[in-house]
Amino acid sequence: MQQREEKLLEGSVESLISRVAHLKNALHSFIYKLENEYERLTWPSVLDNFALLSGQLNTINKVLRNEKTPSFRQQVIIPLLLSPDRDEDLAKLTEQRVPVFSHEIVPDHLRTKPDPEVEEQEKQLSAEAARIGPEVAQKQIQTLNKLCSNLLEKLNNPRDDRDADSAALRLNKPSFNPADTNALVAAVGFGKGLSKCRPPGPVAPGHPGQGPMMSGGPTLQQVTISGGSGQLQGMGPGAPQQQGQPGKMPTNIKTNIKAASSMHPYNR
């Protein structure tokens, strides 16, 4: 009876090792594609690899839950030899992952319980879950279910509908501001909103709002005609005052006016 159980255990272990090796090879192949063939990798191919890995994991679970498979939980593994020296056979079996079987490595590889830090985190989470009342927990569950339902609804919608909605939003979204356009047209067409400013340049004294005269053009001296005596007086700086006959213009002023008129650009 005991020999039969040992043979059954050995057969189950070998079958499990074989299936785990197939799973490991599938993982290696998928990781290699992700690292070296990511440019040619398509989403359907990624889904196929995930489906393959999921199927192999389900097969291993079925093997472990099979009635003919002995319960591995009841089996106890006891290390018979611990040594700090390198073990070539062990390194070959573990693909160079475990080169030695020492006191430092055994607690990690033969552990049947989580790490103390993980256990402490689990206790904290359990305590927080116990402090939440049933009503608060039910509200949080309903909120999570609502979010999941909305997400599933969006994912289940046809892609064409989402593309059509996106295109409609892009078409209906205005690409300009009507108020800015109207203000620009009013400013260009009617000068609305433009500030009134004078042209650059000094303003001639005594004539506000007028710019300077043409450069190089002659200037005229301002003269006044005396109504009573008929005398003309030059108002320019240093202009001599001459008295002439009534009704006649002095000769020097008359000559200056004729010379200035002949030199004006509009009289050339």
Side-chain angles (χ1 to χ4, degrees), residues 228-243:
S229 60
Q231 295 178 352
L232 297 177
Q233 298 179 355
M235 301 300 296
Q241 297 182 0
Q242 297 182 3
Q243 294 182 356

Side-chain angles (χ1 to χ4, degrees), residues 9 24 77 79 90 122 145 195 200 217 243:
L9 179 61
K24 184 184 67 173
I77 299 177
L90 181 62
E122 288 183 353
N145 291 334
S195 60
Q243 294 182 356

Side-chain angles (χ1 to χ4, degrees), residues 55-74:
Q56 291 177 346
L57 288 173
N58 290 331
T59 302
I60 293 174
N61 288 329
K62 288 180 180 179
V63 171
L64 293 175
R65 294 174 183 175
N66 192 357
E67 296 179 355
K68 296 181 179 181
T69 302
S71 178
F72 293 100
R73 294 179 180 274
Q74 298 177 0

Side-chain angles (χ1 to χ4, degrees), residues 213 217-221 260:
M213 296 182 65
T219 57
L220 299 179
Q221 292 182 344

Side-chain angles (χ1 to χ4, degrees), residues 65-102:
R65 294 174 183 175
N66 192 357
E67 296 179 355
K68 296 181 179 181
T69 302
S71 178
F72 293 100
R73 294 179 180 274
Q74 298 177 0
Q75 305 298 326
V76 180
I77 299 177
I78 300 175
L80 300 178
L81 178 62
L82 298 178
S83 174
D85 299 332
R86 180 181 176 86
D87 190 348
E88 296 296 337
D89 295 335
L90 181 62
K92 184 178 179 181
L93 289 174
T94 59
E95 297 181 355
Q96 306 299 325
R97 289 192 297 269
V98 184
V100 295
F101 202 62
S102 61

